[in-house]
Amino acid sequence: MEIISQTNRTILLDVINPEKLDLLTLVGEVKGIDSLSDDQMREINLHLECRSYEEAERKMAPVIWSFFDANSQSVKYTLKKPENISESMLTEIKLNEQENFLKTVFTVMSSRKSQGLLNVEFGFEKLLEMISPKKVMEDIKQVRKEIQYNYSKYAEMEDGDPGKLDLGDRLNVLFEDASTNYNNVMAMLPLAIEDVKTRLLLGGGELKSDNKELVPGILTMAENGELKVLEAPKEENTALATLDDNINAGLIEVIREDYNAVNDTPSDYVQNLVVRTFCPLSSTNQSKIDVETEVQNYNSYLEFYRTSKDNFIKVVKPLVEKLLGIKMFFDQYKAKSKGMPPSLLIANISPEMLAKSSNLPRLITYLNTTNSKNNFKDTIWYAIYPNVSWSQNVTNKINRERFKGNVQKAGTDVYSMESLSILLDVFKDYRVETFFSFENREETTFNALAAEGVEKAIEKCAPLIGKSYSEFAIPVLPNFTVIPKNKSGVILDTKMRVTDGNSAAFSDAKEDVMRLWIEGVYINGAYVAAGFHAACQCPEYLKDHFNRTKVRTDSELPGVRFDIEAGNNSLLAYTTMPKEITGFTTTIKNQINQKNFGWIFSSENASLNGENITNITVYKARNLLYNSEYSSYESVYKTQVTTYIERILRYVTGDFKEDNIKNFFSNNPQSQKSKWSMKKDCINAIITEGDNLEYSINEATSICELTISFNGSPRNLEVLINRVNANA
């Protein structure tokens, strides 16, 4: 791949962090400019180009902003930083793999993939408990254990001991982590909930058997053999952890001092809560508990936590789904040797904004720079356009709502078919293939496709069919389900009540079970399709997947001609996504095969050479160019092969010099056509058996017409000849 080193650079048309730089801002004013400078391109790549999910997370630094509203007595969340609220009143929640909700979603994905279970078989509810206060407290307990262990050793060492200094460094890190929790009331809520349970109920959640106060006792056997539990004799108070009283008192004092130092508005209640959380020893126990007050606090904490968590998830879910899409784009590339890893340029701006007439010149200038030069390092081959609007046709008009039903809200990150068509009209001139998929909802999942087929999708794509840009539009079906809507319930905890005996107990009322609904988490299919197609461009990737066959892989050729639909290719090269459903019925498969429409993923039971395929495979890989002769949509590889040959031809012939064009297609063993012909037996051959590559020159118009035949199906491409003699 000496000439073209990559054929899989992709641009993502979406916003990840509006506070970060975007493509339009970095391109800037382009009036009277045909292309960008090398310095501008270097800056764009520095800020927007990513070669892994970790790099995307670092460069985009996705965040959610939160603030408290005194009027509604609630916490608000927003994707955009509020401009009318001071910095001191805002809390920045970083969306990385340590954030509780994102960590939960990643865990669900990893677990289902490792178990290989279908959506209907997998226990989503169990893993979703990670969001509950109890599970949050488990993470805190681990930090607490490390603090206690390291502080006990630190307190026993002499000042100046190098080992004590090392422990001091470790304690500084641990306290820094802890302080991020106790300096944030929202982060303290799950701790407060668990703390009240621990102090009011035996064992931090196990109900007392009656309403009487618990008195520690000793099991004995009477003279007649009767078993009795007698009240234990009073003993000196003993710490519950392996620290002596002095160390315990010292740690408590350190925690109190640290809390007061990092909090501008300290609270005695929160201070005591912090101490009990990070040093739950006997000396911290209160002598008397106001049960009624504590139960009221507990119930209000739980209600506030449920409401705020529900609001947070509603705001953060669209962004989490984007991050999952980016992660799955990169995840498709699994190769032992990194030959041509895909790269993703995150435009970080909405396609609606990009498609505005005032902004199109900037996009065109950028594409002029990347795709109209003989330097192919920055060439954009693919685009991802996610979340195309899927408007639901309401057939039953409801005059009066008797029962609470679904409320279909317009998504804030849903983009229009009109903007897609505008961008496709630009992309066609630069031969950028665009993978697009519809918005995340139940109607775009595997279940919906298995039940209804592709007719609705074809109907919605009708405005893009029969256009000059149709071959560059690739509709992707279906979207992937991470957490199904009907399995997205999370029980946080249960409210408490004060019993007649003035003790606390969990409420038996059904309405007192605090539950929230995530309402499903999905991944747009366009990310996975683009990532998979980009992975297949790498000869090392193809070599790894076809090493058990007799087919050769050429290390110098990209996978532009690789046809995923041919033979058993889809059973040898498949996605990293686990199967979701049992498959499609014969009726639906017949419909898909008859229409040959779009990029269709399949969740079928399949095996090859005795090995079960437990991953999602590619069933169809078609764009929207309709071939009336075959009553079928064209395979996506044909467009990229045509693009690849045109770019190689432009480079080798010195921008289409006539003599060089003739040499390009000659029978000379050193001609480009001859070199390709000698590799027809490779899985990544540019010209395979049955293909043909011909040209004709119209002397009158100076047009060279290329005819590329794919197993008898011709594709034509015209280039304007440079009449300058090659030897001049």
Side-chain angles (χ1 to χ4, degrees), residues 67-77 304 307 311:
F67 58 93
F68 294 99
D69 179 14
N71 287 332
S72 63
Q73 291 291 298
S74 63
V75 59
K76 304 289 185 181
Y77 299 95
F304 194 89
T307 303
N311 293 339

Side-chain angles (χ1 to χ4, degrees), residues 386-433:
N387 285 329
V388 178
S389 176
W390 179 282
S391 57
Q392 189 176 33
N393 297 322
V394 179
T395 56
N396 297 321
K397 184 179 179 182
I398 304 298
N399 294 317
R400 178 174 175 270
E401 188 178 61
R402 279 82 170 174
F403 306 96
K404 189 173 182 179
N406 289 307
V407 179
Q408 296 294 343
K409 296 180 180 179
T412 55
D413 293 309
V414 172
Y415 305 123
S416 68
M417 191 70 78
E418 290 74 19
S419 293
L420 174 58
S421 63
I422 291 171
L423 294 176
L424 282 170
D425 199 38
V426 171
F427 286 148
K428 78 176 191 307
D429 296 330
Y430 300 94
R431 303 194 67 82
V432 177
E433 297 175 75

Side-chain angles (χ1 to χ4, degrees), residues 444-460:
T444 60
T445 62
F446 272 97
N447 283 330
L449 181 62
E452 302 174 5
V454 296
E455 289 289 357
K456 283 188 178 180
I458 295 176
E459 179 184 337
K460 293 180 185 300

